[in-house]
Amino acid sequence: MPYETIIVDIVDHIATITINRPQAMNSFTRQMMDEFEHLWKSIAANDDVHCCVLRAAPGRAFSTGVDVKASQEAGGTVVDLANIWHCEDPGNYLGPKSMNCWKPVICAVHGMAAGGAFYWINEADIVICSEDATFFDPHVTYGMTSALEPIGMTYKLPLQDVLRMVLLGNDERIGAGTAMRIGLVSEIVTLEELWPRANELAATIAAKPPAATAGSIKAIWQSLDLPRSVALQMGLKYCQIGNPVGVPQVDRAALTADKAKQFKVR
């Protein structure tokens, strides 16, 4: 499938995905939803991909969510609220976990990340941002109920921070420093360092056995929908399934050698 709203490059087991609508603040359309649906399915089935980097074309925004203008055109609706029995959340197609793609995803955020941008941020495994990044949810300012993105946020952020973002709408933005303090991002870098740093993290992850990383991602994310005891039982089964595949893929002696015992402290 040729992509028009995203750019995809696969090099050294890393799939770098660039949201590519800078002329529209990297907002998403029905077409982009279709392309991400195809992309996540393709990446899930591609054993050459061990890790993903999700970023956005340079400009003022990582993404401002749905392209409101395009959604008002014929055939451009992203959420058909009038179709009450078949209305679907756009996040079902935009997010990797919603599409059953369990490859690790690093999200590199710059500029504005608003509203529907959280469909990607909520389902990323590691989120880093540049110093200029700001996060906000404008729905209520425009008289719209904010439900889907913030519910996803509650699995990562304290409830009071989610509610504050939702209720203040366009009147307050979360800066990079606050985003790190509340756990929305795990690292802040300069804009120039953002893409290289995301790739550096991805390369470290991609060098590990994919059976181990994907299995860990699947076990942990699927546990969020389960009671604790059931999640632990399921997690044990995933270890029984994944370890016989992943362990033979590493040289344990080399990993435990003195010269290999190097690490960074965050």
Side-chain angles (χ1 to χ4, degrees):
M1 178 180 181
Y3 301 128
E4 297 180 1
T5 68
I6 55 179
I7 299 172
V8 182
D9 293 303
I10 300 177
V11 179
D12 296 331
H13 304 301
I14 301 171
T16 300
I17 306 153
T18 306
I19 302 169
N20 192 38
R21 298 189 72 239
Q23 75 283 3
M25 298 286 193
N26 290 316
S27 55
F28 69 83
T29 60
R30 178 76 248 181
Q31 180 183 3
M32 187 182 290
M33 289 166 55
D34 293 340
E35 291 182 6
F36 264 105
E37 178 185 11
H38 181 275
L39 172 67
W40 292 131
K41 290 179 179 178
S42 174
I43 287 177
N46 188 347
D47 290 338
D48 189 51
V49 176
H50 297 180
C51 189
C52 304
V53 172
L54 178 62
R55 63 192 195 183
R60 293 175 55 201
F62 169 80
S63 177
T64 53
V66 63
D67 186 328
V68 177
K69 182 178 179 180
S71 68
Q72 294 173 344
E73 299 173 355
T77 303
V78 298
V79 182
D80 187 4
L81 295 176
N83 192 346
I84 59 174
W85 302 122
H86 296 90
C87 177
E88 290 192 77
D89 179 4
N92 291 344
Y93 304 98
L94 295 171
K97 278 64 180 184
S98 296
M99 293 302 304
N100 291 312
C101 179
W102 306 109
K103 305 296 175 75
V105 176
I106 297 169
C107 186
V109 180
H110 77 274
M112 294 183 288
F118 282 93
Y119 284 128
W120 291 298
I121 295 170
N122 289 345
E123 294 198 10
D125 303 297
I126 298 175
V127 183
I128 66 173
C129 75
S130 56
E131 296 166 327
D132 69 324
T134 57
F135 305 82
F136 60 105
D137 182 0
H139 285 89
V140 297
T141 298
Y142 299 111
M144 303 169 66
T145 296
S146 184
L148 303 172
E149 299 93 323
I151 289 172
M153 277 185 255
T154 61
Y155 287 83
K156 288 192 171 186
L157 301 183
L159 180 60
Q160 65 175 359
D161 289 305
V162 175
L163 292 172
R164 176 167 178 153
M165 180 191 296
V166 168
L167 296 176
L168 291 180
N170 267 345
D171 293 308
E172 182 175 272
R173 299 186 183 185
I174 294 175
T178 298
M180 184 151 177
R181 177 177 60 80
I182 65 178
L184 181 54
V185 305
S186 61
E187 189 173 342
I188 304 169
V189 296
T190 66
L191 184 59
E192 292 73 22
E193 294 172 330
L194 183 63
W195 287 7
R197 179 56 177 158
N199 191 74
E200 180 184 9
L201 292 170
T204 301
I205 295 170
K208 295 175 171 59
T213 55
S216 300
I217 292 297
K218 185 171 185 177
I220 294 169
W221 277 91
Q222 288 192 337
S223 76
L224 300 179
D225 295 327
L226 300 172
R228 180 177 180 275
S229 60
V230 178
L232 290 171
Q233 291 172 13
M234 185 182 74
L236 176 60
K237 297 299 182 184
Y238 280 6
C239 292
Q240 291 173 309
I241 294 169
N243 290 1
V245 179
V247 171
Q249 295 176 346
V250 300
D251 184 343
R252 187 172 289 270
L255 290 175
T256 56
D258 288 339
K259 64 180 180 181
K261 294 180 181 178
Q262 300 178 5
F263 53 86
K264 296 179 179 180
V265 176
R266 179 163 67 91

